[in-house]
mmCIF file of all heavy atoms in Angstrom:
data_model
loop_
_atom_site.group_PDB
_atom_site.id
_atom_site.type_symbol
_atom_site.label_atom_id
_atom_site.label_comp_id
_atom_site.label_asym_id
_atom_site.label_seq_id
_atom_site.Cartn_x
_atom_site.Cartn_y
_atom_site.Cartn_z
ATOM 1 N N ALA A 115 0.823 -1.160 -0.027
ATOM 2 C CA ALA A 115 0.031 -0.010 0.015
ATOM 3 C C ALA A 115 0.833 1.318 0.001
ATOM 4 O O ALA A 115 0.568 2.209 -0.692
ATOM 5 C CB ALA A 115 -0.939 -0.018 1.214
ATOM 6 N N ALA A 116 2.001 1.227 0.807
ATOM 7 C CA ALA A 116 2.847 2.373 0.745
ATOM 8 C C ALA A 116 3.536 2.614 -0.515
ATOM 9 O O ALA A 116 3.764 3.747 -0.925
ATOM 10 C CB ALA A 116 3.805 2.235 1.960
ATOM 11 N N SER A 117 3.862 1.527 -1.225
ATOM 12 C CA SER A 117 4.558 1.705 -2.458
ATOM 13 C C SER A 117 3.640 2.284 -3.561
ATOM 14 O O SER A 117 4.067 3.079 -4.373
ATOM 15 C CB SER A 117 5.160 0.313 -2.956
ATOM 16 O OG SER A 117 4.027 -0.559 -3.253
ATOM 17 N N VAL A 118 2.395 1.964 -3.545
ATOM 18 C CA VAL A 118 1.460 2.591 -4.463
ATOM 19 C C VAL A 118 1.348 4.085 -4.145
ATOM 20 O O VAL A 118 1.322 4.918 -5.069
ATOM 21 C CB VAL A 118 0.047 1.899 -4.348
ATOM 22 C CG1 VAL A 118 -1.037 2.679 -5.112
ATOM 23 C CG2 VAL A 118 0.132 0.493 -4.872
ATOM 24 N N LEU A 119 1.365 4.450 -2.875
ATOM 25 C CA LEU A 119 1.361 5.864 -2.489
ATOM 26 C C LEU A 119 2.566 6.549 -2.971
ATOM 27 O O LEU A 119 2.507 7.741 -3.485
ATOM 28 C CB LEU A 119 1.154 5.984 -1.008
ATOM 29 C CG LEU A 119 1.026 7.355 -0.391
ATOM 30 C CD1 LEU A 119 -0.267 7.956 -0.926
ATOM 31 C CD2 LEU A 119 1.021 7.336 1.102
ATOM 32 N N GLN A 120 3.748 5.965 -2.853
ATOM 33 C CA GLN A 120 5.027 6.590 -3.256
ATOM 34 C C GLN A 120 5.163 6.688 -4.727
ATOM 35 O O GLN A 120 5.837 7.578 -5.271
ATOM 36 C CB GLN A 120 6.221 5.718 -2.739
ATOM 37 C CG GLN A 120 6.495 6.010 -1.285
ATOM 38 C CD GLN A 120 7.051 7.443 -1.124
ATOM 39 O OE1 GLN A 120 6.764 8.366 -1.802
ATOM 40 N NE2 GLN A 120 7.835 7.567 -0.011
ATOM 41 N N MET A 121 4.558 5.773 -5.543
ATOM 42 C CA MET A 121 4.585 5.750 -6.923
ATOM 43 C C MET A 121 3.732 6.899 -7.524
ATOM 44 O O MET A 121 3.716 7.086 -8.764
ATOM 45 C CB MET A 121 4.252 4.489 -7.561
ATOM 46 C CG MET A 121 5.175 3.339 -7.277
ATOM 47 S SD MET A 121 4.781 1.838 -8.187
ATOM 48 C CE MET A 121 3.130 1.565 -7.743
ATOM 49 N N ARG A 122 2.951 7.532 -6.680
ATOM 50 C CA ARG A 122 2.030 8.578 -7.198
ATOM 51 C C ARG A 122 1.079 7.982 -8.225
ATOM 52 O O ARG A 122 0.848 8.573 -9.305
ATOM 53 C CB ARG A 122 2.765 9.730 -7.773
ATOM 54 C CG ARG A 122 3.850 10.317 -6.828
ATOM 55 C CD ARG A 122 3.457 11.756 -6.409
ATOM 56 N NE ARG A 122 4.591 12.421 -5.790
ATOM 57 C CZ ARG A 122 4.801 12.359 -4.519
ATOM 58 N NH1 ARG A 122 3.985 11.687 -3.705
ATOM 59 N NH2 ARG A 122 5.773 13.063 -3.882
ATOM 60 N N ALA A 123 0.578 6.849 -7.854
ATOM 61 C CA ALA A 123 -0.445 6.171 -8.768
ATOM 62 C C ALA A 123 -1.727 7.002 -8.812
ATOM 63 O O ALA A 123 -1.957 7.838 -8.002
ATOM 64 C CB ALA A 123 -0.667 4.811 -8.213
ATOM 65 N N PRO A 124 -2.519 6.766 -9.858
ATOM 66 C CA PRO A 124 -3.842 7.417 -9.913
ATOM 67 C C PRO A 124 -4.624 7.171 -8.631
ATOM 68 O O PRO A 124 -4.440 6.080 -8.001
ATOM 69 C CB PRO A 124 -4.456 6.816 -11.170
ATOM 70 C CG PRO A 124 -3.349 6.228 -11.958
ATOM 71 C CD PRO A 124 -2.242 5.821 -10.971
ATOM 72 N N ALA A 125 -5.560 8.050 -8.429
ATOM 73 C CA ALA A 125 -6.389 7.891 -7.154
ATOM 74 C C ALA A 125 -7.142 6.527 -7.109
ATOM 75 O O ALA A 125 -7.335 5.981 -6.087
ATOM 76 C CB ALA A 125 -7.325 9.054 -7.123
ATOM 77 N N GLN A 126 -7.628 6.085 -8.248
ATOM 78 C CA GLN A 126 -8.342 4.789 -8.219
ATOM 79 C C GLN A 126 -7.475 3.720 -7.871
ATOM 80 O O GLN A 126 -7.904 2.737 -7.092
ATOM 81 C CB GLN A 126 -8.992 4.578 -9.612
ATOM 82 C CG GLN A 126 -10.022 5.553 -10.001
ATOM 83 C CD GLN A 126 -9.476 6.746 -10.706
ATOM 84 O OE1 GLN A 126 -8.214 6.877 -10.881
ATOM 85 N NE2 GLN A 126 -10.251 7.728 -11.130
ATOM 86 N N LEU A 127 -6.293 3.682 -8.318
ATOM 87 C CA LEU A 127 -5.335 2.583 -7.975
ATOM 88 C C LEU A 127 -4.935 2.697 -6.497
ATOM 89 O O LEU A 127 -4.798 1.593 -5.810
ATOM 90 C CB LEU A 127 -4.102 2.607 -8.854
ATOM 91 C CG LEU A 127 -3.051 1.438 -8.744
ATOM 92 C CD1 LEU A 127 -3.805 0.125 -9.015
ATOM 93 C CD2 LEU A 127 -1.956 1.616 -9.634
ATOM 94 N N GLN A 128 -4.724 3.883 -5.986
ATOM 95 C CA GLN A 128 -4.416 4.070 -4.545
ATOM 96 C C GLN A 128 -5.590 3.538 -3.699
ATOM 97 O O GLN A 128 -5.339 2.881 -2.713
ATOM 98 C CB GLN A 128 -4.214 5.502 -4.267
ATOM 99 C CG GLN A 128 -2.813 5.991 -4.712
ATOM 100 C CD GLN A 128 -2.592 7.405 -4.260
ATOM 101 O OE1 GLN A 128 -3.220 7.971 -3.415
ATOM 102 N NE2 GLN A 128 -1.621 8.054 -4.949
ATOM 103 N N TRP A 129 -6.772 3.900 -4.089
ATOM 104 C CA TRP A 129 -7.956 3.471 -3.323
ATOM 105 C C TRP A 129 -8.026 1.926 -3.347
ATOM 106 O O TRP A 129 -8.270 1.353 -2.301
ATOM 107 C CB TRP A 129 -9.213 4.064 -3.978
ATOM 108 C CG TRP A 129 -10.483 3.659 -3.303
ATOM 109 C CD1 TRP A 129 -11.070 4.165 -2.187
ATOM 110 C CD2 TRP A 129 -11.315 2.542 -3.784
ATOM 111 N NE1 TRP A 129 -12.197 3.479 -1.891
ATOM 112 C CE2 TRP A 129 -12.363 2.498 -2.829
ATOM 113 C CE3 TRP A 129 -11.241 1.603 -4.813
ATOM 114 C CZ2 TRP A 129 -13.347 1.565 -2.935
ATOM 115 C CZ3 TRP A 129 -12.228 0.706 -4.867
ATOM 116 C CH2 TRP A 129 -13.342 0.655 -3.948
ATOM 117 N N LEU A 130 -7.805 1.374 -4.464
ATOM 118 C CA LEU A 130 -7.852 -0.116 -4.562
ATOM 119 C C LEU A 130 -6.737 -0.714 -3.693
ATOM 120 O O LEU A 130 -7.021 -1.690 -2.976
ATOM 121 C CB LEU A 130 -7.640 -0.512 -6.057
ATOM 122 C CG LEU A 130 -7.815 -2.031 -6.386
ATOM 123 C CD1 LEU A 130 -9.213 -2.499 -6.054
ATOM 124 C CD2 LEU A 130 -7.468 -2.272 -7.800
ATOM 125 N N ALA A 131 -5.519 -0.208 -3.710
ATOM 126 C CA ALA A 131 -4.486 -0.720 -2.880
ATOM 127 C C ALA A 131 -4.771 -0.588 -1.398
ATOM 128 O O ALA A 131 -4.540 -1.566 -0.660
ATOM 129 C CB ALA A 131 -3.135 -0.126 -3.259
ATOM 130 N N TRP A 132 -5.359 0.487 -0.976
ATOM 131 C CA TRP A 132 -5.679 0.705 0.466
ATOM 132 C C TRP A 132 -6.827 -0.129 0.841
ATOM 133 O O TRP A 132 -6.963 -0.455 2.063
ATOM 134 C CB TRP A 132 -6.004 2.166 0.654
ATOM 135 C CG TRP A 132 -4.892 3.148 0.530
ATOM 136 C CD1 TRP A 132 -4.660 3.996 -0.479
ATOM 137 C CD2 TRP A 132 -3.716 3.239 1.427
ATOM 138 N NE1 TRP A 132 -3.462 4.639 -0.276
ATOM 139 C CE2 TRP A 132 -2.866 4.256 0.860
ATOM 140 C CE3 TRP A 132 -3.314 2.603 2.548
ATOM 141 C CZ2 TRP A 132 -1.681 4.605 1.433
ATOM 142 C CZ3 TRP A 132 -2.150 3.026 3.135
ATOM 143 C CH2 TRP A 132 -1.311 3.984 2.571
ATOM 144 N N CYS A 133 -7.709 -0.592 -0.086
ATOM 145 C CA CYS A 133 -8.787 -1.445 0.276
ATOM 146 C C CYS A 133 -8.484 -2.917 0.282
ATOM 147 O O CYS A 133 -8.967 -3.669 1.067
ATOM 148 C CB CYS A 133 -9.957 -1.189 -0.636
ATOM 149 S SG CYS A 133 -10.761 0.417 -0.409
ATOM 150 N N ILE A 134 -7.686 -3.339 -0.670
ATOM 151 C CA ILE A 134 -7.318 -4.769 -0.798
ATOM 152 C C ILE A 134 -6.492 -5.259 0.359
ATOM 153 O O ILE A 134 -6.709 -6.353 0.798
ATOM 154 C CB ILE A 134 -6.649 -5.031 -2.218
ATOM 155 C CG1 ILE A 134 -7.640 -4.865 -3.301
ATOM 156 C CG2 ILE A 134 -5.971 -6.420 -2.190
ATOM 157 C CD1 ILE A 134 -7.069 -5.133 -4.651
ATOM 158 N N GLY A 135 -5.555 -4.459 0.902
ATOM 159 C CA GLY A 135 -4.709 -4.849 2.024
ATOM 160 C C GLY A 135 -5.568 -5.299 3.214
ATOM 161 O O GLY A 135 -5.384 -6.433 3.666
ATOM 162 N N PRO A 136 -6.456 -4.423 3.745
ATOM 163 C CA PRO A 136 -7.286 -4.872 4.827
ATOM 164 C C PRO A 136 -8.132 -6.072 4.629
ATOM 165 O O PRO A 136 -8.319 -6.988 5.405
ATOM 166 C CB PRO A 136 -8.189 -3.681 5.179
ATOM 167 C CG PRO A 136 -7.420 -2.526 4.635
ATOM 168 C CD PRO A 136 -6.635 -3.060 3.412
ATOM 169 N N MET A 137 -8.664 -6.220 3.322
ATOM 170 C CA MET A 137 -9.483 -7.329 3.017
ATOM 171 C C MET A 137 -8.721 -8.632 3.028
ATOM 172 O O MET A 137 -9.132 -9.662 3.531
ATOM 173 C CB MET A 137 -10.113 -7.169 1.595
ATOM 174 C CG MET A 137 -11.309 -6.161 1.633
ATOM 175 S SD MET A 137 -12.228 -6.022 0.116
ATOM 176 C CE MET A 137 -11.038 -5.695 -1.124
ATOM 177 N N LEU A 138 -7.402 -8.612 2.488
ATOM 178 C CA LEU A 138 -6.584 -9.810 2.478
ATOM 179 C C LEU A 138 -6.214 -10.177 3.934
ATOM 180 O O LEU A 138 -6.159 -11.367 4.261
ATOM 181 C CB LEU A 138 -5.349 -9.569 1.661
ATOM 182 C CG LEU A 138 -5.659 -9.501 0.085
ATOM 183 C CD1 LEU A 138 -4.292 -9.150 -0.640
ATOM 184 C CD2 LEU A 138 -6.271 -10.717 -0.377
ATOM 185 N N LEU A 139 -5.924 -9.184 4.757
ATOM 186 C CA LEU A 139 -5.546 -9.502 6.110
ATOM 187 C C LEU A 139 -6.780 -10.107 6.916
ATOM 188 O O LEU A 139 -6.566 -11.022 7.723
ATOM 189 C CB LEU A 139 -5.008 -8.215 6.874
ATOM 190 C CG LEU A 139 -3.672 -7.803 6.401
ATOM 191 C CD1 LEU A 139 -3.348 -6.416 7.069
ATOM 192 C CD2 LEU A 139 -2.555 -8.732 6.803
ATOM 193 N N GLN A 140 -7.934 -9.538 6.639
ATOM 194 C CA GLN A 140 -9.146 -10.084 7.362
ATOM 195 C C GLN A 140 -9.339 -11.566 6.815
ATOM 196 O O GLN A 140 -9.695 -12.441 7.631
ATOM 197 C CB GLN A 140 -10.350 -9.220 6.999
ATOM 198 C CG GLN A 140 -10.347 -7.874 7.627
ATOM 199 C CD GLN A 140 -10.723 -7.895 9.062
ATOM 200 O OE1 GLN A 140 -10.975 -8.943 9.628
ATOM 201 N NE2 GLN A 140 -10.679 -6.731 9.690
ATOM 202 N N ALA A 141 -9.180 -11.771 5.576
ATOM 203 C CA ALA A 141 -9.340 -13.146 5.004
ATOM 204 C C ALA A 141 -8.317 -14.056 5.641
ATOM 205 O O ALA A 141 -8.641 -15.238 5.942
ATOM 206 C CB ALA A 141 -9.270 -13.147 3.569
ATOM 207 N N TYR A 142 -7.086 -13.690 5.704
ATOM 208 C CA TYR A 142 -6.006 -14.427 6.325
ATOM 209 C C TYR A 142 -6.356 -14.854 7.763
ATOM 210 O O TYR A 142 -6.262 -15.972 8.155
ATOM 211 C CB TYR A 142 -4.670 -13.696 6.272
ATOM 212 C CG TYR A 142 -3.542 -14.232 7.137
ATOM 213 C CD1 TYR A 142 -2.925 -15.356 6.734
ATOM 214 C CD2 TYR A 142 -3.237 -13.686 8.324
ATOM 215 C CE1 TYR A 142 -1.841 -15.915 7.453
ATOM 216 C CE2 TYR A 142 -2.163 -14.188 9.070
ATOM 217 C CZ TYR A 142 -1.479 -15.318 8.621
ATOM 218 O OH TYR A 142 -0.409 -15.833 9.368
ATOM 219 N N ALA A 143 -6.782 -13.815 8.571
ATOM 220 C CA ALA A 143 -7.178 -14.075 9.921
ATOM 221 C C ALA A 143 -8.408 -14.985 9.996
ATOM 222 O O ALA A 143 -8.487 -15.895 10.894
ATOM 223 C CB ALA A 143 -7.484 -12.772 10.693
ATOM 224 N N ALA A 144 -9.362 -14.766 9.121
ATOM 225 C CA ALA A 144 -10.610 -15.631 9.148
ATOM 226 C C ALA A 144 -10.273 -17.061 8.872
ATOM 227 O O ALA A 144 -10.823 -17.949 9.508
ATOM 228 C CB ALA A 144 -11.609 -15.098 8.158
ATOM 229 N N VAL A 145 -9.357 -17.280 7.879
ATOM 230 C CA VAL A 145 -8.989 -18.684 7.609
ATOM 231 C C VAL A 145 -8.379 -19.395 8.786
ATOM 232 O O VAL A 145 -8.693 -20.537 9.107
ATOM 233 C CB VAL A 145 -8.061 -18.666 6.351
ATOM 234 C CG1 VAL A 145 -7.414 -20.105 6.233
ATOM 235 C CG2 VAL A 145 -8.774 -18.344 5.127
ATOM 236 N N LEU A 146 -7.550 -18.660 9.539
ATOM 237 C CA LEU A 146 -6.908 -19.294 10.736
ATOM 238 C C LEU A 146 -7.914 -19.484 11.796
ATOM 239 O O LEU A 146 -7.829 -20.535 12.506
ATOM 240 C CB LEU A 146 -5.753 -18.369 11.188
ATOM 241 C CG LEU A 146 -4.541 -18.283 10.262
ATOM 242 C CD1 LEU A 146 -3.465 -17.435 10.869
ATOM 243 C CD2 LEU A 146 -3.983 -19.618 9.981
ATOM 244 N N VAL A 147 -8.863 -18.573 11.986
ATOM 245 C CA VAL A 147 -9.860 -18.729 13.064
ATOM 246 C C VAL A 147 -10.847 -19.877 12.754
ATOM 247 O O VAL A 147 -11.221 -20.609 13.655
ATOM 248 C CB VAL A 147 -10.567 -17.440 13.273
ATOM 249 C CG1 VAL A 147 -11.822 -17.605 14.176
ATOM 250 C CG2 VAL A 147 -9.649 -16.358 13.885
ATOM 251 N N VAL A 148 -11.217 -19.947 11.490
ATOM 252 C CA VAL A 148 -12.125 -21.041 11.141
ATOM 253 C C VAL A 148 -11.524 -22.449 11.369
ATOM 254 O O VAL A 148 -12.184 -23.423 11.556
ATOM 255 C CB VAL A 148 -12.620 -20.861 9.687
ATOM 256 C CG1 VAL A 148 -13.355 -22.028 9.126
ATOM 257 C CG2 VAL A 148 -13.452 -19.626 9.584
ATOM 258 N N ARG A 149 -10.214 -22.531 11.305
ATOM 259 C CA ARG A 149 -9.508 -23.819 11.461
ATOM 260 C C ARG A 149 -9.431 -24.262 12.963
ATOM 261 O O ARG A 149 -9.085 -25.386 13.216
ATOM 262 C CB ARG A 149 -8.144 -23.787 10.888
ATOM 263 C CG ARG A 149 -8.214 -23.576 9.325
ATOM 264 C CD ARG A 149 -6.844 -23.456 8.728
ATOM 265 N NE ARG A 149 -5.943 -24.481 9.238
ATOM 266 C CZ ARG A 149 -4.617 -24.450 9.153
ATOM 267 N NH1 ARG A 149 -3.994 -23.465 8.538
ATOM 268 N NH2 ARG A 149 -3.867 -25.465 9.568
#
């Protein structure tokens, strides 16, 4: 997420990067909890 911010990516790509990170971390935690 920080690299997308540093690259001065378009706003849509920055928004996508900032949203995908938390979703992937939530999915990672959920998979471990379900087990």
Side-chain angles (χ1 to χ4, degrees):
S117 66
V118 169
L119 185 64
Q120 280 293 27
M121 291 186 310
R122 309 243 190 271
Q126 295 86 1
L127 186 58
Q128 285 184 15
W129 177 84
L130 185 64
W132 292 108
C133 291
I134 288 178
M137 288 190 301
L138 291 176
L139 287 173
Q140 291 284 357
Y142 168 75
V145 165
L146 292 181
V147 169
V148 169
R149 293 177 50 196

